[in-house]
Amino acid sequence: QTELLDLSTVDVILISNYHCMMALPYITEYTGFTGTVYATEPTVQIGRLLMEELVNSIERVPKAQSASMWKNKEVQRLLPAPLKDAVEVSMWRKCYTMPEVNAALSKIQLVGYSQKIELFGAVQVTPLSSGYALGSSNWIIQSHYEKVSYVSGSSLLTTHPQPMDQASLKNSDVLILTGLTQIPTANPDGMVGEFCSNLAMTVRNGGNVLVPCYPSGVIYDLLECLYQYIDSAGLSNVPFYFISPVANSSLEFSQIFAEWLCHNKQTKVYLPEPPFPHAELIQTNKLKHYPSIHGDFSNDFKQPCVVFTGHPSLRFGDVVHFMELWGKSSLNTVIFTEPDFSYLDALAPYQPLAMKCVYCPIDTRLNFIQVSKLLKEVQPLHVVCPEQYTQPPPTQSHRTDLMVDCQPPAMSYRRAEVLTLPYKRRYEKIEIMPDLADSLVPLEIKPGISLATVSAVLHTKDNKHVLQLPPKPPQPPASKKRKRVSDDVPECKSLKPLLSGSIPMDQFVQTLEKHGFSDVKVEDTAKGHIVLLQEAETLIQLEEDSTHIICDNDEPLRVKLRDLVLKFLQKF
Amino acid sequence: GAGQDVGRSCILVSIAGKNVMLDCGMHMGYNDDRRFPDFSYITQNGRLTDFLDCVIISHFHLDHCGALPYFSEMVGYDGPIYMTHPTKAICPILLEDYRKITVDKKGETNFFTSQMIKDCMKKVVAVHLHQTVQVDEELEIKAYYAGHVLGAAMFQIKVGCESVVYTGDYNMTPDRHLGAAWIDKCRPDLLISESTYATTIRDSKRCRERDFLKKVHETVERGGKVLIPVFALGRAQELCILLETFWERMNLKAPIYFSTGLTEKANHYYKLFITWTNQKIRKTFVQRNMFEFKHIKAFDRAFADNPGPMVVFATPGMLHAGQSLQIFRKWAGNEKNMVIMPGYCVQGTVGHKILSGQRKLEMEGRQILEVKMQVEYMSFSAHADAKGIMQLIRQAEPRNVLLVHGEAKKMEFLKQKIEQEFHVSCYMPANGETTTILTNPCIPVDISLGLLKRETAIGPLPDAKKPKLMHGTLLMKDNSFRLVSPEQALKELGLAEHQLRFTCRVHIQDPRKEHETVLRVYNHLKGILKDYSVQHLPDGSITVESILIQATAHSEDQGTKVLLVSWTYQDEELGSYLTSLLKKGLPQSTP
């Protein structure tokens, strides 16, 4: 949905994790976007694998014809659900191609955790580990005085990625919270246990297990669990197949991002050993990986077995073949682990099915209990989150614990809504050059508070402000003595400081007398005094907060009086 | 350490009240106290932990980290030690190796133990490239890629707006397994650069490689043995890749060996830290990992006496101890054999002696070893050459340069060149010498957004060259500095403004009616003060900006009009100018 926003005016895109970049080619290749995209290296590499798998699976089944008549609103209205409820079908696009993916990815700037990136000198953005996936990040967007944290897809559980960096989120003015768990009621650890036991049971009964999954992410953890589990469960002889055009790359890449892994895995690399045990599974031939079901796989294929393959929506990819192959036998089991798709919807076209279906969604992202714990920990001034998180899920409206609960209440946003964040900028940093600082004369006004008036040249470049000593006024060339009147016009308004203070009467008169005014006469008025200098025909009105000098056009005299008055006042 | 010298790199930097120790190396040329830096320079009697804010290790070479366990465990330091992940992984292995050679082989006591190495490594904090590490509130460090060896980094140390960049060892040209060093234009106050090859400008890498392969090939062809002393990690891998591809292409059969059990492990590190290698290797690693060698096998001590040609990589690289020295002694007598020194050798080592032409070496126990084998030197060390150092300076734009890790004479030459080309001061202190560099720190203050917006709203002046003057009040309270508008300063301090106003009587000879005089004055001012807003108000007064001018007839003389010009102190200049202008009288009106 792009009409809300002209994407060519977007300067920067920050990518949180590899699941959040699947639409990137649409933006970089079609919208006139010319800004910069920032992401971590694992995000880009694994994101590339996900896109590659997607493109590959879709291009493998070319469609000679595509029906578009149904997209007509009149026709669509008559179609059965869910087609009739689909929104904006005219906006649906064809999948991008590999050259587009490569072009999009080439526009990404790689960044590391805790790297401070200056944007236009105005703000600084920093990715932080979010603990959800390899290279997944939360982002801090801050200027000198404001700090906005964007928390998306974070996990407090200990899985393979580096733990979430919570400390750096502290003192945020605004914390934008999104990408919470899809399944707030499921406990990932319990689900893993269920996954293993169901898998073991099926295989022991001579059935096959199908695990529709993404080629990266939770699969690493599942393989690790199985690595520990298979020997004790007596499954050592059961082959595990991982089928994806990017299976090999995904397994290889996982081993080289040591710096992005949790501490345990990092220590392994120091030994040096591969951080993930699937290296050993591959070495011992327990885990085999193939780019597709064609070729080598058909020769090696032995049943019963366990197959990991995509796509988790069951709409495309090699998983479709296995559903059709195994769907008719009740010995087999399909185990859903990816939380992004409803398993009922996914299975709908395959019904009726004899195969067992087990739903063990493993979503390590924050649940609501963890959210409250996190918010208590980092104490943001304001929380902003999607509307869905501020109320219990529609299917379980009594579960008031399934919503974001914080003080002050979270501000919510909806699709296509613009939200103004509740803070006001007051200050900005400016630098004073050392020579200017040397020239300042601070004056202590109150105990502990000093001030100095500053007149300086302001240089602004790339949103950085610097104050410099004003240049010395150039000496007028001596040869040009005859000048036109207009040459004397003061060039630009040079601001004079504001004055403050009051003038003590007696001292002022004394000072006047000291400076040669002998005929000073003072008259009291309602608000103050009038000082008369009779000979000079000059009148000075002194009041609490004002002084008025009325004189003839005698510039030297006026200047002299002026300077005397100024002696009693403070400049600001 | 490393002042006009190569070895035991150790530099103490004091910046804005923070003390940072850069590297903690050993010297390969000495076996006595001089092998380690003299830490009493840092503090005579206090604890090092109290004095140092952090220690940074640039890479895993022993001349940069060899004294670390001694420093942290025997002298005593408990603060943080920063290094990159690969350095943290590989460093303890090299230290252990070093310890073994010194203690087990040479029988030295009073040396650090394996446990000390482990304890020392526990104090290490690993850093990512480009990650900004906040050591404390003020001190931050950032690592940049340095090439040189796996995990080598340059470090930027920053406090407020003062900063120092320490290069460690770096390489500005990518080689077969690593990329080139890179740094952004960070304009540090000081760049501390290594200068191993201060005077050398190396010919192209390709030539050197061809030369190397030719020599190895010729020797093997005539049945000789080739010894290549290397350090386990770094050059070794590059040359292995080179020989591996050559062997494959030429279909050669002569065995290539790699000494010590470290090899396999070392290659493993390269596989796991492949993100630190160069672009090409990273791109292809899924299909073919460059660090899985087919032709290169592990070496066994017995192989040295085997007949026939062979190529052996043996550690350490400067022939000062260990297996490379043993093999060297066995093979030195045969002129068919060849030793190729691929890297720099520190003074005092056997490597340095044979390179400087010595052919009769006095070994332990007064034995004389005559060297008949061919000695070849080939600079494969991944240090920046003179061109590279200049290139780095151009990249970083430092205000001062300080040279370390090089020989005094060569440094002198480079120093002159740097000063000539970049017009920055260049220093080359000897060990124990302190260089003080004055910085010009600017002072950051907070400016109220209101004031800033007011200033920038005026927009660019018609004449861009003319400086824009801004005016504000700097409030200093406790330790905060805030620049606000004068009005706001008054308000915040609870003070009232004091208005200073001037009214001047200006007498003008003009027989006409008052309003005509006013009109004439108005036209006159309007004609002169083109840049100002001059207005004629309905009540008969004139305003120039906020200055008010009123005219009345003189009470005694109808031919004289009195102009009352009234302005506040803020308009002082204009007011003063106006009175003097009006005093000159009005121009003769042209009919």
Side-chain angles (χ1 to χ4, degrees), chain A residues 114 145 259 270 426-430 432 446 450-452 454-456 490 494 497 499-501 537 545 547-549 551-553 555 562, chain B residues 85 89 128 130 132 269 276 282 443 445-447 449 468 470-472 474 476 482 493 496 498-499 501 503 505 532 570 572-573 576-577:
Chain A
S114 304
Y145 290 97
E259 290 152 277
Y270 292 162
R426 288 212 176 78
Y427 287 99
E428 181 129 6
K429 275 267 190 264
I430 192 166
I432 295 186
K446 287 179 180 172
S450 314
L451 58 81
V454 182
S455 290
S494 64
L499 302 170
S500 176
E537 285 189 44
D545 285 331
T547 301
H548 194 170
I549 299 173
C551 62
D552 260 347
N553 194 1
E555 190 66 12
R562 179 193 74 192
Chain B
H85 282 273
H128 291 245
H130 301 158
T132 304
Y269 279 116
W276 285 77
R282 280 159 59 177
I443 300 140
V445 299
D446 302 343
I447 186 168
L449 212 62
K468 188 158 72 179
M470 75 167 276
H471 189 85
L474 188 64
M476 284 164 270
R482 283 183 303 137
L493 293 169
H498 188 107
Q499 263 217 356
R501 180 166 274 282
T503 303
R505 294 183 288 265
Y532 293 84
Q570 279 68 38
E572 172 71 8
E573 249 134 67
S576 159
Y577 166 76

Coordinates of all heavy atoms in Angstrom, one line a residue, chain A residues 114 145 259 270 426-430 432 446 450-452 454-456 490 494 497 499-501 537 545 547-549 551-553 555 562, chain B residues 85 89 128 130 132 269 276 282 443 445-447 449 468 470-472 474 476 482 493 496 498-499 501 503 505 532 570 572-573 576-577:
Chain A
S114 N 25.6 -2.1 17.7 CA 26.2 -1.0 18.4 C 27.1 -0.1 17.5 O 27.9 0.7 18.0 CB 27.1 -1.5 19.6 OG 26.4 -2.3 20.4
Y145 N 19.2 14.9 22.2 CA 18.3 15.0 23.3 C 17.1 14.1 23.2 O 16.3 14.0 24.2 CB 17.8 16.5 23.4 CG 19.0 17.3 23.9 CD1 19.7 18.0 23.0 CD2 19.3 17.2 25.2 CE1 20.9 18.7 23.5 CE2 20.5 17.8 25.7 CZ 21.2 18.6 24.8 OH 22.3 19.2 25.2
E259 N 30.3 -14.2 15.4 CA 30.2 -13.0 16.2 C 28.7 -12.7 16.5 O 28.5 -11.8 17.4 CB 30.8 -11.9 15.5 CG 32.3 -12.1 15.5 CD 32.9 -11.4 14.3 OE1 32.9 -12.0 13.2 OE2 33.4 -10.3 14.4
Y270 N 35.9 -20.6 19.4 CA 37.3 -20.3 19.9 C 38.1 -21.6 20.0 O 39.3 -21.6 20.1 CB 37.2 -19.6 21.3 CG 36.6 -18.2 21.2 CD1 36.2 -17.6 22.4 CD2 36.6 -17.5 20.0 CE1 35.7 -16.3 22.3 CE2 36.1 -16.3 20.0 CZ 35.6 -15.7 21.1 OH 35.1 -14.4 21.1
R426 N 13.7 20.8 22.5 CA 14.0 22.1 23.0 C 15.4 22.5 22.8 O 15.7 23.6 22.5 CB 13.8 22.0 24.6 CG 12.3 22.0 24.9 CD 12.1 22.6 26.2 NE 10.6 22.6 26.5 CZ 10.0 21.6 26.9 NH1 10.6 20.5 27.2 NH2 8.7 21.6 27.1
Y427 N 16.3 21.5 22.8 CA 17.7 21.9 22.7 C 18.4 21.1 21.6 O 18.0 20.1 21.2 CB 18.4 21.7 24.0 CG 18.1 22.7 25.1 CD1 17.1 22.4 26.0 CD2 18.6 23.9 25.1 CE1 16.8 23.3 27.0 CE2 18.3 24.9 26.0 CZ 17.4 24.6 27.0 OH 17.0 25.5 27.9
E428 N 19.5 21.7 21.2 CA 20.3 21.0 20.2 C 21.7 21.3 20.6 O 22.0 22.2 21.3 CB 20.0 21.6 18.8 CG 20.7 21.0 17.7 CD 19.8 20.6 16.6 OE1 18.6 20.9 16.6 OE2 20.3 19.9 15.7
K429 N 22.6 20.4 20.1 CA 24.0 20.7 20.4 C 24.7 21.7 19.4 O 24.4 21.7 18.3 CB 24.8 19.4 20.4 CG 24.8 18.5 21.6 CD 25.9 18.8 22.5 CE 26.0 17.8 23.7 NZ 25.3 18.3 24.9
I430 N 25.5 22.5 20.0 CA 26.3 23.4 19.1 C 27.7 23.4 19.7 O 27.9 23.2 20.9 CB 25.6 24.8 19.2 CG1 26.2 25.7 18.1 CG2 25.8 25.5 20.5 CD1 25.3 26.9 17.8
I432 N 31.3 25.4 20.4 CA 31.9 26.7 20.4 C 33.4 26.5 20.2 O 34.0 25.6 20.8 CB 31.7 27.3 21.8 CG1 30.2 27.6 22.0 CG2 32.5 28.5 22.0 CD1 29.9 28.3 23.3
K446 N 24.2 34.6 39.9 CA 23.7 34.1 41.2 C 24.8 33.1 41.6 O 25.5 32.6 40.8 CB 22.4 33.4 41.0 CG 21.2 34.4 40.8 CD 20.0 33.6 40.6 CE 18.8 34.6 40.4 NZ 17.6 33.9 40.0
S450 N 26.7 31.3 36.2 CA 27.4 32.3 35.6 C 26.8 32.5 34.2 O 26.2 31.5 33.6 CB 28.9 32.0 35.4 OG 29.3 31.5 36.6
L451 N 27.0 33.6 33.6 CA 26.6 33.7 32.2 C 27.6 34.6 31.5 O 28.4 35.4 32.0 CB 25.2 34.3 32.1 CG 24.8 35.6 32.7 CD1 25.2 36.7 31.8 CD2 23.3 35.6 32.9
A452 N 27.6 34.4 30.2 CA 28.4 35.2 29.3 C 27.6 35.5 28.1 O 26.9 34.7 27.6 CB 29.7 34.5 28.9
V454 N 27.3 36.0 24.2 CA 28.0 35.5 23.1 C 27.6 36.2 21.8 O 26.4 36.2 21.5 CB 27.8 34.0 22.9 CG1 28.6 33.4 21.8 CG2 28.1 33.2 24.2
S455 N 28.5 36.8 21.1 CA 28.2 37.2 19.8 C 29.1 36.5 18.8 O 30.4 36.6 19.0 CB 28.4 38.7 19.6 OG 27.4 39.4 20.4
A456 N 28.6 35.7 18.0 CA 29.5 34.9 17.2 C 28.9 34.6 15.9 O 27.7 34.8 15.6 CB 29.8 33.6 17.9
P490 N 24.6 51.7 8.7 CA 25.0 50.5 9.3 C 24.5 49.3 8.5 O 23.4 49.3 8.1 CB 24.3 50.6 10.7 CG 23.7 51.9 10.8 CD 23.8 52.6 9.5
S494 N 23.2 44.8 13.9 CA 24.0 44.1 14.9 C 23.2 44.2 16.2 O 23.0 45.3 16.7 CB 25.4 44.7 15.0 OG 25.3 46.0 15.5
P497 N 23.0 43.7 23.3 CA 22.5 42.8 24.3 C 21.3 43.5 25.1 O 21.2 44.7 25.1 CB 23.7 42.6 25.2 CG 24.6 43.7 25.0 CD 24.4 44.1 23.5
L499 N 19.5 44.5 28.6 CA 20.1 45.0 29.8 C 19.2 44.5 31.0 O 18.0 44.3 30.8 CB 20.2 46.5 29.8 CG 21.0 47.0 28.6 CD1 20.9 48.5 28.5 CD2 22.5 46.6 28.8
S500 N 19.8 44.5 32.1 CA 19.0 44.2 33.3 C 19.7 44.8 34.5 O 20.9 45.2 34.5 CB 18.9 42.6 33.5 OG 18.3 42.4 34.7
G501 N 18.9 44.9 35.6 CA 19.5 45.5 36.8 C 18.8 46.9 37.1 O 17.8 47.2 36.4
E537 N 21.3 70.8 29.3 CA 19.9 70.7 28.9 C 19.5 69.2 28.7 O 18.9 68.8 27.7 CB 19.6 71.4 27.6 CG 19.5 72.9 27.8 CD 19.0 73.6 26.5 OE1 18.0 73.0 26.0 OE2 19.5 74.6 26.1
D545 N 12.9 49.8 36.1 CA 13.3 49.0 35.0 C 13.5 49.7 33.7 O 13.5 49.1 32.6 CB 12.2 47.9 34.7 CG 12.2 46.8 35.8 OD1 13.3 46.6 36.3 OD2 11.2 46.2 36.1
T547 N 15.5 53.4 31.9 CA 16.2 54.7 32.0 C 16.0 55.4 30.7 O 16.0 54.7 29.6 CB 17.7 54.4 32.1 OG1 17.9 53.6 33.3 CG2 18.5 55.7 32.2
H548 N 15.7 56.6 30.7 CA 15.4 57.4 29.5 C 16.3 58.6 29.5 O 16.3 59.4 30.4 CB 13.9 57.8 29.5 CG 13.5 58.2 28.1 ND1 12.2 58.4 27.8 CD2 14.2 58.5 27.0 CE1 12.1 58.9 26.5 NE2 13.4 58.9 26.0
I549 N 17.1 58.7 28.5 CA 18.0 59.9 28.4 C 17.5 60.8 27.4 O 17.4 60.4 26.2 CB 19.5 59.4 28.1 CG1 20.0 58.5 29.2 CG2 20.4 60.7 27.9 CD1 21.3 57.9 29.0
C551 N 18.2 64.3 25.5 CA 19.3 65.3 25.4 C 19.2 66.0 24.1 O 18.5 65.6 23.2 CB 20.6 64.7 25.6 SG 21.0 63.5 24.4
D552 N 20.0 67.0 24.0 CA 20.2 67.7 22.7 C 21.0 66.8 21.8 O 21.6 65.8 22.2 CB 20.9 69.0 22.8 CG 19.9 70.1 22.8 OD1 18.8 69.9 22.4 OD2 20.3 71.2 23.2
N553 N 21.1 67.2 20.6 CA 21.9 66.4 19.7 C 23.4 66.6 19.9 O 24.0 67.2 19.1 CB 21.5 66.7 18.2 CG 22.0 65.6 17.3 OD1 22.6 64.6 17.7 ND2 21.8 65.8 16.0
E555 N 26.3 64.2 20.4 CA 26.7 62.8 20.4 C 27.7 62.5 21.5 O 27.5 61.5 22.3 CB 27.1 62.4 19.0 CG 27.3 60.9 18.8 CD 26.0 60.1 18.9 OE1 24.9 60.7 18.9 OE2 26.1 58.8 19.0
R562 N 25.6 57.4 28.2 CA 25.2 56.1 27.9 C 26.2 55.1 28.7 O 25.8 54.2 29.4 CB 25.3 55.8 26.4 CG 24.9 54.4 26.1 CD 25.3 54.1 24.6 NE 26.7 53.9 24.5 CZ 27.4 53.9 23.3 NH1 26.7 54.1 22.2 NH2 28.7 53.7 23.3
Chain B
H85 N 37.0 -10.6 17.7 CA 36.6 -12.1 18.0 C 37.7 -13.0 17.5 O 38.2 -13.9 18.3 CB 35.3 -12.4 17.3 CG 34.1 -11.9 18.1 ND1 33.6 -12.7 19.1 CD2 33.4 -10.8 18.0 CE1 32.5 -12.0 19.6 NE2 32.4 -10.8 19.0
A89 N 40.1 -15.5 19.8 CA 40.1 -16.9 19.6 C 41.5 -17.5 19.4 O 41.8 -18.5 19.9 CB 39.2 -17.3 18.3
H128 N 33.1 -6.1 17.8 CA 32.8 -6.3 16.4 C 33.5 -5.2 15.6 O 33.8 -4.1 16.2 CB 31.3 -6.1 16.1 CG 30.5 -7.2 16.7 ND1 29.7 -8.0 15.9 CD2 30.2 -7.6 17.9 CE1 29.1 -8.9 16.6 NE2 29.3 -8.6 17.9
H130 N 33.5 -1.9 13.6 CA 32.7 -0.7 13.6 C 31.7 -0.5 14.8 O 31.0 0.4 14.8 CB 31.8 -0.6 12.3 CG 32.7 -0.7 11.0 ND1 32.2 -1.1 9.8 CD2 34.0 -0.4 10.9 CE1 33.2 -1.0 8.9 NE2 34.3 -0.6 9.6
T132 N 30.7 0.6 18.2 CA 31.2 1.6 19.1 C 31.1 1.1 20.6 O 30.0 0.8 21.0 CB 30.4 2.9 19.0 OG1 30.5 3.3 17.7 CG2 31.0 4.0 19.9
Y269 N 40.2 -22.0 12.0 CA 39.8 -20.7 12.4 C 39.4 -19.8 11.1 O 38.5 -19.1 11.1 CB 41.0 -20.0 13.1 CG 41.0 -20.4 14.5 CD1 42.1 -21.1 15.0 CD2 40.0 -20.1 15.4 CE1 42.2 -21.5 16.4 CE2 40.0 -20.5 16.7 CZ 41.1 -21.2 17.2 OH 41.2 -21.5 18.5
W276 N 35.8 -12.5 7.9 CA 37.0 -11.6 8.0 C 37.9 -11.7 6.9 O 38.9 -10.9 6.8 CB 37.7 -11.8 9.3 CG 37.0 -11.3 10.5 CD1 36.0 -11.9 11.2 CD2 37.3 -10.1 11.3 NE1 35.6 -11.2 12.2 CE2 36.4 -10.1 12.3 CE3 38.2 -9.1 11.2 CZ2 36.3 -9.0 13.3 CZ3 38.2 -8.1 12.1 CH2 37.2 -8.1 13.1
R282 N 34.9 -15.2 0.6 CA 33.6 -15.2 1.2 C 32.5 -15.6 0.3 O 31.6 -16.3 0.6 CB 33.3 -13.8 1.8 CG 34.0 -13.5 3.1 CD 34.2 -12.1 3.4 NE 32.9 -11.4 3.5 CZ 32.7 -10.1 3.8 NH1 33.8 -9.4 4.0 NH2 31.6 -9.6 3.8
I443 N 34.1 23.2 22.3 CA 33.3 23.0 23.5 C 31.8 22.8 23.1 O 31.2 23.7 22.5 CB 33.4 24.2 24.4 CG1 34.9 24.3 24.8 CG2 32.5 24.1 25.7 CD1 35.4 25.7 24.9
V445 N 28.0 22.9 23.6 CA 27.0 23.4 24.5 C 25.6 23.1 23.9 O 25.5 22.8 22.8 CB 27.2 24.9 24.7 CG1 28.5 25.3 25.3 CG2 27.0 25.7 23.4
D446 N 24.6 23.3 24.7 CA 23.3 23.1 24.3 C 22.7 24.4 23.8 O 22.8 25.4 24.6 CB 22.4 22.6 25.4 CG 23.0 21.3 26.0 OD1 23.8 20.7 25.3 OD2 22.6 20.9 27.1
I447 N 22.1 24.4 22.7 CA 21.5 25.7 22.2 C 20.0 25.5 22.2 O 19.5 24.4 21.8 CB 22.0 26.0 20.8 CG1 21.5 27.4 20.4 CG2 21.7 25.0 19.7 CD1 22.2 28.0 19.2
L449 N 16.5 25.4 21.0 CA 16.0 25.3 19.6 C 15.4 26.6 19.1 O 15.5 26.9 17.9 CB 15.0 24.1 19.5 CG 15.0 23.4 18.2 CD1 16.4 22.7 18.0 CD2 14.0 22.3 18.2
K468 N 27.5 35.6 9.3 CA 26.2 35.9 10.0 C 26.5 35.9 11.5 O 27.0 35.0 12.1 CB 25.2 34.7 9.6 CG 23.8 35.0 10.1 CD 22.9 34.1 9.2 CE 23.0 32.7 9.6 NZ 22.1 31.8 8.8
M470 N 25.4 35.9 15.3 CA 24.3 35.6 16.1 C 24.6 36.0 17.6 O 25.7 36.2 18.0 CB 23.9 34.1 16.1 CG 24.9 33.2 16.8 SD 24.1 31.6 16.9 CE 23.1 31.8 18.3
H471 N 23.6 36.2 18.3 CA 23.7 36.7 19.6 C 22.9 35.9 20.6 O 21.8 35.6 20.4 CB 23.2 38.2 19.6 CG 23.6 38.9 20.9 ND1 24.8 39.5 21.0 CD2 22.9 39.0 22.0 CE1 24.8 40.0 22.3 NE2 23.7 39.7 22.9
G472 N 23.6 35.5 21.7 CA 22.9 34.7 22.7 C 23.6 34.9 24.0 O 24.6 35.6 24.1
L474 N 25.1 32.7 27.2 CA 25.6 31.4 27.6 C 25.3 31.3 29.1 O 25.9 32.0 29.9 CB 27.1 31.2 27.3 CG 27.6 29.8 27.5 CD1 27.0 28.8 26.6 CD2 29.1 29.9 27.3
M476 N 25.8 29.2 32.4 CA 26.6 28.2 33.0 C 26.2 27.9 34.4 O 26.3 28.7 35.3 CB 28.1 28.6 33.0 CG 28.7 28.6 31.7 SD 30.2 29.5 31.6 CE 29.6 31.1 31.2
R482 N 24.4 26.1 28.5 CA 23.3 26.3 27.6 C 23.3 27.6 27.0 O 23.6 28.6 27.7 CB 22.0 26.1 28.4 CG 21.7 24.6 28.7 CD 20.4 24.5 29.3 NE 20.3 25.2 30.6 CZ 19.3 26.0 30.9 NH1 18.2 26.0 30.2 NH2 19.3 26.6 32.1
L493 N 16.3 33.5 34.9 CA 17.0 34.0 36.1 C 16.0 34.8 36.9 O 16.4 35.3 38.0 CB 18.2 34.8 35.8 CG 19.3 34.0 35.1 CD1 20.4 34.9 34.5 CD2 19.9 33.1 36.1
A496 N 14.2 41.2 35.5 CA 13.4 42.0 34.6 C 14.3 42.7 33.6 O 15.5 43.0 34.0 CB 12.6 43.0 35.3
H498 N 15.9 45.8 31.8 CA 16.0 47.2 32.0 C 16.1 47.9 30.7 O 16.9 47.7 29.9 CB 17.3 47.5 32.8 CG 17.4 48.9 33.3 ND1 17.2 49.3 34.6 CD2 17.6 50.1 32.6 CE1 17.3 50.6 34.7 NE2 17.6 51.1 33.5
Q499 N 15.1 48.8 30.4 CA 15.1 49.5 29.1 C 15.9 50.7 29.2 O 15.7 51.6 30.1 CB 13.6 49.8 28.8 CG 13.0 48.8 27.9 CD 12.1 49.5 26.9 OE1 11.9 50.7 26.9 NE2 11.6 48.7 26.0
R501 N 16.6 54.0 27.1 CA 16.1 54.7 25.9 C 16.7 56.1 25.8 O 17.1 56.7 26.8 CB 14.5 54.9 26.1 CG 13.8 55.6 25.0 CD 12.3 55.4 25.1 NE 11.9 54.2 24.5 CZ 11.7 54.0 23.1 NH1 12.0 55.0 22.3 NH2 11.3 52.9 22.6
T503 N 16.5 59.8 23.8 CA 15.7 60.7 23.0 C 16.6 61.9 22.7 O 17.1 62.5 23.6 CB 14.4 61.2 23.6 OG1 13.7 60.0 23.9 CG2 13.6 62.1 22.7
R505 N 17.2 65.6 20.7 CA 16.5 66.7 20.0 C 17.5 67.1 18.9 O 18.6 67.4 19.1 CB 16.3 67.9 20.9 CG 15.3 67.6 22.1 CD 15.1 68.8 22.9 NE 16.2 69.1 23.8 CZ 16.3 68.7 25.0 NH1 15.3 68.0 25.6 NH2 17.4 69.0 25.8
Y532 N 16.1 49.5 5.1 CA 15.3 49.5 6.4 C 13.9 49.8 6.1 O 13.6 50.4 5.0 CB 15.9 50.5 7.3 CG 17.3 50.2 7.8 CD1 18.4 50.5 7.1 CD2 17.4 49.5 9.1 CE1 19.7 50.1 7.6 CE2 18.6 49.1 9.5 CZ 19.8 49.4 8.8 OH 21.0 49.1 9.3
Q570 N 19.0 48.9 22.2 CA 19.1 47.8 21.2 C 19.3 48.4 19.8 O 19.8 47.7 18.9 CB 18.0 46.8 21.2 CG 18.0 45.8 22.3 CD 17.9 46.4 23.7 OE1 17.1 47.3 23.9 NE2 18.6 45.9 24.7
E572 N 21.0 51.1 19.2 CA 22.0 52.1 19.4 C 22.7 52.6 18.1 O 22.7 53.8 17.8 CB 23.0 51.6 20.4 CG 24.2 52.5 20.6 CD 23.9 53.8 21.4 OE1 22.8 53.9 21.9 OE2 24.8 54.6 21.5
E573 N 23.1 51.7 17.3 CA 23.9 52.1 16.2 C 23.1 52.9 15.2 O 23.5 53.9 14.7 CB 24.5 50.8 15.5 CG 25.9 50.8 15.6 CD 26.4 49.4 16.0 OE1 26.3 48.5 15.2 OE2 26.9 49.3 17.2
S576 N 22.1 56.3 16.7 CA 23.2 57.2 16.7 C 23.5 57.7 15.2 O 23.8 58.9 15.0 CB 24.4 56.5 17.2 OG 25.6 57.1 16.8
Y577 N 23.3 56.8 14.3 CA 23.6 57.2 12.9 C 22.5 58.2 12.4 O 22.8 59.1 11.7 CB 23.5 55.9 12.1 CG 23.4 56.1 10.6 CD1 24.6 56.6 9.9 CD2 22.2 56.0 9.9 CE1 24.5 56.8 8.5 CE2 22.2 56.2 8.6 CZ 23.3 56.6 7.9 OH 23.2 56.9 6.5

